[in-house]
Amino acid sequence: MEKKNFKAFTNLNPFKKNAIQLCGQEFVDSLTANGIYAKDDKFWIEVNRKLNIPDNAYDQRKIREKVEREQALAEEIAREKAEMERLLSNKKKFDSKNRNDWTIVVFELLETDEHGNKFVAECTKSSGAKLTTQLFETSQEAYSRACNLVDENEKQSQKYRRFIEHYQVLKPLYLMLIYLSGGDEHYDYLKSRPKKRGIENFIGVSFYNGFDYDIIAQLEKEGLLERSTTGDSLILFKKGMQVARDMLKTINIDGVERLLEQRNYHEDYINYKSQSEEE
């Protein structure tokens, strides 16, 4: 670290000749006379002390370099943004097409960017959502990229809608499972004092992130499911699926009926008897 501090402070490599240049021949000779050589950390401790080099010079330089890099990057991003805004402020409509619930408009800029690109596409959905492509050399490239953006956005939106449909049903079920499977949790520093386990230090109900082993074992014994060899996943058999579907039909939770309808084909799967099952 002493050599790193020397280099960071002086911008010179930690060589003996550089120490002589800064500290003088007489000083270095005095160190050598006392058996302290440039290969030793002690040598550079003395050199740094002579030059008043801080013990954290290397760390401080790294911090400064990081700040400078971040500042340079921020400035570059700001320049690119300003240039893009300037280019986009001078554009004219080139073509317009509809795709699903989106309108894709391709614009041509009055001048190209530094890479020769001059076409950009803006996508607007009826709901007000907007997407913009980067610049491209041709209108076809801009339009193709816009189509990809629209399709990806619709894909993600559909994925999110499916998640919400499941979440509104699973939320109360998960909360019920956690609540019924958990135990009272109090602040740790009072746990050793039973008389203090009360309302004043109650946190909530704690639940280990997993299903109760004994319950899973019993369900497996009844032939409703099976654990994987590693125990980290479960397979719900037809019998268990039917029980689950029958229970869900009795629960008054918004969205349950829709999810059951999406899996109505499971009824055919459950009722179907393969040759191996019949045997």
Side-chain angles (χ1 to χ4, degrees), residues 107-126:
F107 292 94
E108 182 180 7
L109 307 184
L110 297 184
E111 59 180 299
T112 65
D113 66 2
E114 59 181 339
H115 303 294
N117 301 312
K118 62 181 302 185
F119 290 94
V120 64
E122 296 181 358
C123 317
T124 305
K125 195 173 183 179
S126 59

Side-chain angles (χ1 to χ4, degrees), residues 89-136:
S89 66
N90 296 295
K91 63 184 180 182
K92 62 179 181 179
K93 185 176 179 180
F94 182 85
D95 193 12
S96 178
K97 295 181 181 180
N98 294 324
R99 187 177 183 85
N100 297 327
D101 198 26
W102 293 78
T103 298
I104 300 176
V105 181
V106 178
F107 292 94
E108 182 180 7
L109 307 184
L110 297 184
E111 59 180 299
T112 65
D113 66 2
E114 59 181 339
H115 303 294
N117 301 312
K118 62 181 302 185
F119 290 94
V120 64
E122 296 181 358
C123 317
T124 305
K125 195 173 183 179
S126 59
S127 62
K130 291 185 178 181
L131 299 170
T132 303
T133 70
Q134 63 193 79
L135 295 180
F136 290 94

Side-chain angles (χ1 to χ4, degrees), residues 211-237:
F211 293 103
D212 187 290
Y213 176 84
D214 293 332
I215 291 179
I216 294 298
Q218 185 61 35
L219 291 172
E220 189 172 23
K221 185 182 298 184
E222 294 180 19
L224 298 172
L225 54 76
E226 180 181 81
R227 284 172 290 185
S228 66
T229 53
T230 58
D232 57 1
S233 63
L234 304 169
I235 297 178
L236 191 63
F237 291 142

Side-chain angles (χ1 to χ4, degrees), residues 30-47:
S30 68
L31 295 179
T32 303
N34 287 286
I36 303 174
Y37 303 98
K39 65 179 180 178
D40 303 323
D41 289 338
K42 177 65 174 175
F43 178 91
W44 295 102
I45 291 175
E46 295 300 328
V47 168

Side-chain angles (χ1 to χ4, degrees), residues 79-180:
R79 283 194 296 269
E80 292 177 354
K81 182 179 179 181
E83 176 62 10
M84 178 63 72
E85 290 176 350
R86 186 187 71 80
L87 290 172
L88 292 176
S89 66
N90 296 295
K91 63 184 180 182
K92 62 179 181 179
K93 185 176 179 180
F94 182 85
D95 193 12
S96 178
K97 295 181 181 180
N98 294 324
R99 187 177 183 85
N100 297 327
D101 198 26
W102 293 78
T103 298
I104 300 176
V105 181
V106 178
F107 292 94
E108 182 180 7
L109 307 184
L110 297 184
E111 59 180 299
T112 65
D113 66 2
E114 59 181 339
H115 303 294
N117 301 312
K118 62 181 302 185
F119 290 94
V120 64
E122 296 181 358
C123 317
T124 305
K125 195 173 183 179
S126 59
S127 62
K130 291 185 178 181
L131 299 170
T132 303
T133 70
Q134 63 193 79
L135 295 180
F136 290 94
E137 187 175 353
T138 67
S139 61
Q140 292 85 352
E141 290 176 311
Y143 177 72
S144 177
R145 179 53 183 157
C147 291
N148 291 338
L149 285 178
V150 166
D151 293 345
E152 182 62 25
N153 183 272
E154 289 300 302
K155 180 180 177 181
Q156 292 300 321
S157 296
Q158 185 178 12
K159 181 179 179 181
Y160 180 71
R161 286 193 296 269
R162 287 198 300 267
F163 166 77
I164 292 300
E165 287 180 352
H166 284 76
Y167 177 73
Q168 67 181 359
V169 175
L170 292 176
K171 176 182 176 180
L173 296 178
Y174 272 50
L175 291 176
M176 285 188 287
L177 176 62
I178 294 171
Y179 177 72
L180 294 175

